[in-house]
Amino acid sequence: MFEEFYTIAQSINNEYIAKVKEQGALCIGYTCSYFPEEILHALGIIPYRIKGLNVSSLSIADAAFGPFICSHPKCLLQHFALGDYSFLDGIIVTPGCDSMRRIDECIRKTAVNLDLPVVPPFFFHYAVPHKITEYSVKWLVEELHRFIDSVSAHFGLSFSYDKLKESIAFYNRLRKRLEELNALRIHYPARIAGADAVAVYVAGLSMPRDRFYGMMESLLSEYTGTALEDRKRLMLIGSANDDIDFIKTVEGETAVVVADTLCYGPRLEVDYVDEEDEPLHALALRYLNHSHCPRMYGGYKQRLAKVVEAIRIAQVEGVVLQNIRFCDLHGAENGLIERDLEKLGIPCLRLEREYGPLADNERMRMRIDAFLERLEVRRLVCERP
Amino acid sequence: MRKALKQYNFDWMLWRTYEAGSRLLAGTRQEYDIALRYIPNFRDPVKEVFKAKAGQLFLQMTATYLDNIVNAHQRGKKTCMTTFCFSPAILYALDIVPVTLELLTVMMTFLYKRGTGEFLDYCNEAGFTETSCSSQRGSMGALLADIGTPIDMVVTDSPGVCDTNANAFAFFAAYKDLPFFQLNMPPWLVEERVTEYHVQDYKALIGFLEEQSGKKLDVDRLREILTELQKQDELINELEQYLSYKPLPLSVTTCLFIYAGRFMFAGMPIYTQLLEMLVNEGRENVTLLKQGINISHEKSRGFFCYIDHYTHSLRLWQMLEELNIGYSGNILSHFWADSNPPVVHNNWKEAAYSIKTGTLEEMLTSIAAINSRMPMIKSIRGPYDSPYMWLQDTLALASMYKADFIVYNGTPGCRNTWGMVKLLAQDTEKAGFPTHIMYADAFDDRVQSWDATRDRFEEFLRVRRLL
Ligand code: SF4
Ligand code: SF4
């Protein structure tokens, strides 16, 4: 049932994109969950959340990026350099974190320096503020205007607010479906494996959304769920992850990821864009507020409160805090979360890992197993009369 | 962390050490020489600083900065933890004492042979990442361990420019549950929309500072500080002219004094004094040069396109002297006033700040503009090859200073620069500047020993026939 989702999630290009591209559709990649897909959808462009999966060498990326950089953007660059993203007509780079925003120069200059045709024809640096104030929301609305003007002029498209409103409504319906899927994870006992759920989310970021919506609908109508009895209920927090195998490693045979804060996943809650508000303002507000990411400096307390609430709702037994090496944003926040959750009696495991080929899979497995044993002991102690 | 380290506050120890160091020249030459015998660990850094005429004043200024921190609460003032790339002028205008992490880290690494290793490690014990920038971690560790003056509030202005910097301050504020304010930097600079954003953000900052300090911004005090800053800018401009002479008419530590002083005391008279002293020395030496009198033996000249190397004894500067390398600037010594030589020379007025002291609105616009052009904040906020960014600044400054080569030195914690420094180096090489990338950590010798760093630097100089 999930096979199709896995195939799409675990590959860079897919038949759905190839098909609509053949019919002349445009596809634009973006690097960060702060970009509102609704805008592209309204313009008839397929939004694609860029992934870094299945890279077997970082030869070109290492030569461009320095050595002290998160391996996730390096894998993205390697894909660009190898031409794997040649189906993209454009790319939107966001200052999500330093490593990721430097992909801007790395893609452009690698093309020049190595004489590779890796730069998509449309390139946009989308400046998202790091705080939520009246003036930062205003700034983001202006950024959206700037984007719309630039993309419409580049591809000769015409933008309409009515279409945008339709797209906002469509995405809200899609969010509703995602919420239904999420409910299966939160259910006690969980009715879907975390890996399966993430495969669906990631697939949804990699294909035409209308088609994805149809697939979601059939999934939800056909899938009655598998009761994952007796599994340790985990929450996964930290660095960006589009790697389903990593979730599988965390779950193994005895655990299930019932909630996450990952930016390729649904994050902690599925929240909606206000359809009554002026569309660009509504988008700016939703995206600045929703994305549960430590790039919003000073927002730790609010994020912690949401994590605690999600732990309660999903009846989480233990939290796995992971960060890709050199991801200081998530790494540092994980330190705070670990301290505060442990104080509340919620067991945490903190992992630093590499993105990409799971070279350190066994090391991870060993540490996770030990953590699951800790949870097992806890269960025994807590359940004792 | 060792128990012994927790016996005294680290800032108090630093203060007493700098205070004592600054008085070493107060007696006779003989007394000074004898004193050196009794301070084997501090001898080298002290000797190095005193090689420059302004050395003594520099140490006094540093001691005063520490004195302000250590005694802030006793004097009824609030302390604000902040970063080197935030101009402290506004804090002085509100009578708040800046506690700048990077400055405190460097003050320690210069002086203490053991460096800041234990404080760096303590950050990890507290849950912070070991991959973050060591310039904040070096002193933040001590403050996390409560062996420093308690901090009342935290302000950072690197969001959008440097994550590890901003992240350190956000971590500290969350860890200690302190009031926190961040100023944002959009990825480009020269646009009305950006200026507007900076000014709004800066006004919100002032609201925050007023609330935290319980004091209202004193308009006359702000005017005084901005007027002093104008004066300081003029002195820096003159120094920059001298720094472009070949051979160099000023000691290689001049730039260090310029930027460290500005980070500590922008708009304060003590910094003006230091600059005046440097300018006087420059004027005298330029006169000698013009008379054909040789005052240095410069073999070649480097431009440091990022920061310097700060570990024990100012060894970078010692090495430069030993190798007869002229060193006339790095990215930290540039503040981009509209009268600044590279601005005038390249007609970059639109990317520079102007100080206007008429109305309050004008002053706030000026100070927001100054702040958003601090080193790193100006040139490393967007794609490095965009207008007015790192590449353009580096090439312009290296040419103005007649550099023979360019050096990048930073920290492995600097995702921001490591994300593109190799590309930058390719461009500077293409522009005709041999470029050396140091893989050392400017604040932590444990990453790469100084000997290895020096070896590789010398190898670069030899291979590129720069010596
Ligand atoms: S972790 Fe944050 S900054 Fe990075 S891509 Fe995700 S949402 Fe964007
Ligand atoms: S994992 Fe962290 S460092 Fe890596 S790209 Fe995402 S936010 Fe940036």
Side-chain angles (χ1 to χ4, degrees), chain A residues 68, chain B residues 134 137 411-412 439-449 453:
Chain A
F68 311 114
Chain B
S134 42
R137 278 195 295 134
T411 84
Y439 282 75
D441 186 324
F443 311 91
D444 185 8
D445 260 353
R446 298 174 305 175
V447 172
Q448 180 178 274
S449 72
T453 303

Side-chain angles (χ1 to χ4, degrees), chain B residues 181-341:
Chain B
F181 192 93
Q182 50 148 330
L183 286 158
N184 282 195
M185 303 294 150
W188 54 92
L189 184 71
V190 183
E191 204 183 280
E192 220 177 292
R193 185 159 82 99
V194 178
T195 307
E196 216 178 275
Y197 189 87
H198 282 321
V199 174
Q200 281 171 315
D201 216 13
Y202 209 81
K203 284 181 181 168
L205 166 74
I206 291 171
F208 168 86
L209 294 174
E210 286 182 335
E211 194 188 324
Q212 297 307 324
S213 66
K215 291 176 185 161
K216 269 247 136 308
L217 178 66
D218 176 343
V219 179
D220 294 330
R221 176 89 183 108
L222 182 63
R223 186 168 291 115
E224 238 172 67
I225 288 174
L226 285 174
T227 309
E228 195 72 19
L229 253 170
Q230 267 174 324
K231 203 161 142 191
Q232 291 169 356
D233 278 339
E234 288 313 315
L235 292 165
I236 293 176
N237 292 345
E238 187 169 343
L239 283 170
E240 291 206 20
Q241 300 285 2
Y242 299 150
L243 290 169
S244 63
Y245 275 61
K246 226 169 185 177
L248 205 61
L250 283 154
S251 99
V252 286
T253 45
T254 303
C255 288
L256 169 70
F257 292 176
I258 293 176
Y259 65 77
R262 177 118 174 181
F263 296 156
M264 284 189 246
F265 285 117
M268 296 289 108
I270 190 168
Y271 178 48
T272 316
Q273 266 179 46
L274 181 92
L275 292 171
E276 281 168 349
M277 199 160 177
L278 290 169
V279 163
N280 286 339
E281 189 184 355
R283 281 182 193 158
E284 280 164 28
N285 289 347
V286 164
T287 314
L288 294 178
L289 277 179
K290 284 182 178 157
Q291 289 164 1
I293 298 167
N294 210 5
I295 53 161
S296 74
H297 308 275
E298 191 178 325
K299 282 191 184 151
S300 69
R301 177 174 297 189
F303 176 74
F304 276 54
C305 68
Y306 199 47
I307 57 174
D308 294 324
H309 193 287
Y310 301 102
T311 57
H312 192 245
S313 301
L314 288 84
R315 285 182 297 200
L316 171 76
W317 291 271
Q318 281 183 41
M319 175 187 77
L320 295 171
E321 278 167 354
E322 275 169 39
L323 299 175
N324 287 315
I325 300 225
Y327 166 45
S328 52
N330 69 5
I331 197 147
L332 300 179
S333 48
H334 287 276
F335 298 93
W336 308 102
D338 53 7
S339 52
N340 198 232

Side-chain angles (χ1 to χ4, degrees), chain A residues 60-67 74 113, chain B residues 384 390 408 417-429 435 437 439:
Chain A
I60 298 172
D62 278 338
F65 274 120
K74 277 192 181 177
N113 294 348
Chain B
Y384 79 90
W390 201 20
Y408 166 85
T417 51
W418 276 108
M420 41 82 178
V421 68
K422 290 187 172 185
L423 303 170
L424 175 108
Q426 284 167 15
D427 288 346
T428 51
E429 286 274 354
T435 302
I437 297 179
Y439 282 75

Side-chain angles (χ1 to χ4, degrees), chain A residues 98 101-102 113 143 328, chain B residues 161 163 193 415-416 426:
Chain A
D98 287 345
R101 81 182 162 104
R102 289 297 178 213
N113 294 348
E143 275 302 275
D328 297 311
Chain B
V161 179
D163 283 342
R193 185 159 82 99
R415 227 63 65 228
N416 183 14
Q426 284 167 15

Side-chain angles (χ1 to χ4, degrees), chain A residues 49 69-73 96-100 238-241 263 293 323-330, chain B residues 163 415:
Chain A
R49 173 74 198 255
I69 295 285
C70 164
S71 39
H72 182 44
C97 69
D98 287 345
S99 308
M100 196 54 105
S239 293
N241 180 59
C263 69
C293 178
N323 74 282
I324 301 174
R325 186 155 177 79
F326 299 117
C327 177
D328 297 311
L329 289 180
H330 289 286
Chain B
D163 283 342
R415 227 63 65 228

Side-chain angles (χ1 to χ4, degrees), chain A residues 68-253:
Chain A
F68 311 114
I69 295 285
C70 164
S71 39
H72 182 44
K74 277 192 181 177
C75 288
L76 302 188
L77 176 65
Q78 190 74 18
H79 274 305
F80 273 95
L82 296 175
D84 299 338
Y85 276 121
S86 54
F87 62 89
L88 292 181
D89 299 286
I91 169 170
I92 301 157
V93 175
T94 302
C97 69
D98 287 345
S99 308
M100 196 54 105
R101 81 182 162 104
R102 289 297 178 213
I103 199 120
D104 177 310
E105 293 97 310
C106 287
I107 290 179
R108 281 187 294 106
K109 301 297 277 200
T110 303
V112 176
N113 294 348
L114 300 181
D115 201 17
L116 296 169
V118 295
V119 185
F122 175 74
F123 212 89
F124 191 83
H125 200 106
Y126 173 61
V128 185
H130 297 259
K131 54 160 79 173
I132 307 164
T133 62
E134 215 175 289
Y135 56 88
S136 61
V137 172
K138 177 176 169 272
W139 170 276
L140 199 58
V141 171
E142 288 164 3
E143 275 302 275
L144 293 175
H145 275 294
R146 194 171 70 87
F147 176 75
I148 291 166
D149 292 347
S150 156
V151 77
S152 318
H154 184 93
F155 293 107
L157 302 168
S158 72
F159 173 80
S160 109
Y161 276 94
D162 287 338
K163 280 234 170 81
L164 180 59
K165 281 185 183 166
E166 279 170 30
S167 294
I168 288 176
F170 166 75
Y171 267 85
N172 276 345
R173 285 200 301 280
L174 183 58
R175 285 188 185 106
K176 186 85 194 114
R177 302 284 89 83
L178 291 172
E179 199 171 1
E180 285 162 22
L181 184 78
N182 214 24
L184 296 173
R185 290 213 293 178
I186 295 170
H187 193 272
Y188 198 99
R191 299 173 70 84
I192 185 172
D196 292 347
V198 173
V200 175
Y201 301 129
V202 177
L205 297 167
S206 327
M207 63 184 291
R209 299 305 182 267
D210 306 81
R211 185 79 186 88
F212 175 64
Y213 186 87
M215 282 169 68
M216 277 290 290
E217 283 214 306
S218 8
L219 175 77
L220 289 165
S221 63
E222 288 163 30
Y223 183 68
T224 46
T226 327
L228 294 161
E229 307 270 3
D230 222 28
R231 298 231 182 177
K232 308 283 173 329
R233 296 173 68 86
L234 300 179
M235 181 172 184
L236 190 54
I237 286 182
S239 293
N241 180 59
D242 53 7
D243 185 350
I244 322 290
D245 286 339
F246 175 64
I247 315 276
K248 284 190 172 165
T249 300
V250 173
E251 293 189 313
E253 300 293 319

